[in-house]
Amino acid sequence: MNKIAKILAMLTVVSLAACDPENEETIFERDIFYTVANDEAFSGLSGKTIHLRTESEWEALLDRFCDYAKDGEQVLFCNTHPGQPRSKRSGTKDTPTSISTTDRNELKDWMKEMEKIGKTVNITYDEGTGTWSGHAYVNIGQEDMRESQTYSGTLVFVPTPVLEEPPLGGRVWAMQVNADSTLILSVHGMMMWNSSDTLTNEMLLIQGAELMFDGVAKTHTDLQGHSFMTLSLNILEKKN
């Protein structure tokens, strides 16, 4: 009887351990849209959305972003639902929206904080110094559900709207429809941002290219009271 009791006790301990919530990874779902380009001026109008269920999957994706940047790519990403309630947002640190570091883990921690507060994140890597650089900026959010229309025009790079203090600076991709109408391009509320305030040779190379996109246009107002228009694009995402 003593042996049977011991066996039953051991099985009970094993069963409790298997059911222990601490041994189970919490499901915390998110959808991350990202683009990868080998030059900042070519940040791209295509990308992919990946659905993540756990924090370990999120950690693995952040490692992949670090690897892309280290291989000479620029990475842009955002949560496709940046305005959704988050139980963890209340604990978000007062973290600067830019970073320069040689510490991979410090970069990943910074990216996690920026994603929590709904920012669009841009990261690059300088092989000469071994330094990752990151910039995070306002995601203009999901557009309304109006039916999309087809717009055509030419590619231009316009000054980034002042949506935060201090201003981000740099330029964003836009479509000039006519002399009076320019639409800043966005995907899931993510503007395609370039850090240069002036037009680089790479920008000049593609500026003026003919564009045609389906999307939803919307008017916004920046912090200085200036109106600007965006075009939320319907794009074909890359397959895994």
Side-chain angles (χ1 to χ4, degrees):
M1 290 293 295
N2 287 338
K3 289 184 178 180
I4 294 175
K6 289 180 179 179
I7 292 173
L8 289 174
M10 291 173 62
L11 289 175
T12 300
V13 170
V14 171
S15 177
L16 289 173
C19 296
D20 185 352
E22 293 185 1
N23 292 331
E24 297 179 3
E25 186 169 8
T26 302
I27 301 300
F28 195 80
E29 300 186 70
R30 51 168 65 80
D31 290 304
I32 301 295
F33 174 82
Y34 68 93
T35 73
V36 178
N38 60 11
D39 190 283
E40 188 178 39
F42 296 85
S43 55
L45 296 174
S46 65
K48 67 172 66 174
T49 299
I50 184 167
H51 180 73
L52 306 173
R53 297 183 68 252
T54 64
E55 290 301 300
S56 61
E57 291 178 353
W58 177 219
E59 189 82 18
L61 183 61
L62 292 174
D63 270 318
R64 196 189 312 172
F65 289 162
C66 292
D67 290 339
Y68 285 148
K70 200 167 185 179
D71 288 340
E73 308 280 12
Q74 176 188 244
V75 179
L76 275 172
F77 75 86
C78 69
N79 189 308
T80 62
H81 302 287
Q84 66 186 359
R86 287 283 188 85
S87 59
K88 292 189 177 183
R89 283 183 190 269
S90 60
T92 300
K93 304 172 186 176
D94 185 15
T95 306
T97 55
S98 63
I99 189 172
S100 180
T101 180
T102 58
D103 187 328
R104 183 187 186 103
N105 288 327
E106 183 182 9
L107 177 70
K108 287 166 56 181
D109 288 342
W110 175 83
M111 289 192 285
K112 291 175 186 176
E113 291 300 318
M114 295 302 101
E115 185 271 340
K116 281 183 186 178
I117 57 177
K119 298 283 189 179
T120 291
V121 178
N122 173 305
I123 64 167
T124 57
Y125 181 78
D126 185 333
E127 185 177 5
T129 62
T131 301
W132 278 280
S133 295
H135 296 275
Y137 53 93
V138 169
N139 186 296
I140 58 178
Q142 295 297 304
E143 305 292 350
D144 58 43
M145 300 305 293
R146 288 177 295 164
E147 185 176 352
S148 64
Q149 299 181 40
T150 300
Y151 296 83
S152 60
T154 57
L155 175 65
V156 292
F157 295 93
V158 300
T160 306
V162 180
L163 299 174
E164 54 197 321
E165 294 292 349
L168 178 66
R171 290 176 175 264
V172 291
W173 292 54
M175 176 195 290
Q176 185 170 353
V177 178
N178 53 51
D180 301 316
S181 182
T182 299
L183 307 176
I184 292 174
L185 304 176
S186 69
V187 183
H188 296 300
M190 182 177 80
M191 297 180 290
M192 270 59 73
W193 178 74
N194 301 272
S195 60
S196 177
D197 289 311
T198 58
L199 294 177
T200 65
N201 290 335
E202 291 81 6
M203 292 181 193
L204 291 170
L205 180 65
I206 59 175
Q207 182 165 256
E210 298 289 331
L211 302 176
M212 181 179 290
F213 290 115
D214 287 336
V216 176
K218 187 175 181 180
T219 301
H220 305 259
T221 303
D222 70 12
L223 295 181
Q224 298 177 339
H226 301 140
S227 295
F228 66 97
M229 293 191 69
T230 60
L231 182 63
S232 179
L233 302 179
N234 297 324
I235 66 169
L236 293 175
E237 297 194 15
K238 298 175 182 177
K239 302 296 183 182
N240 287 324

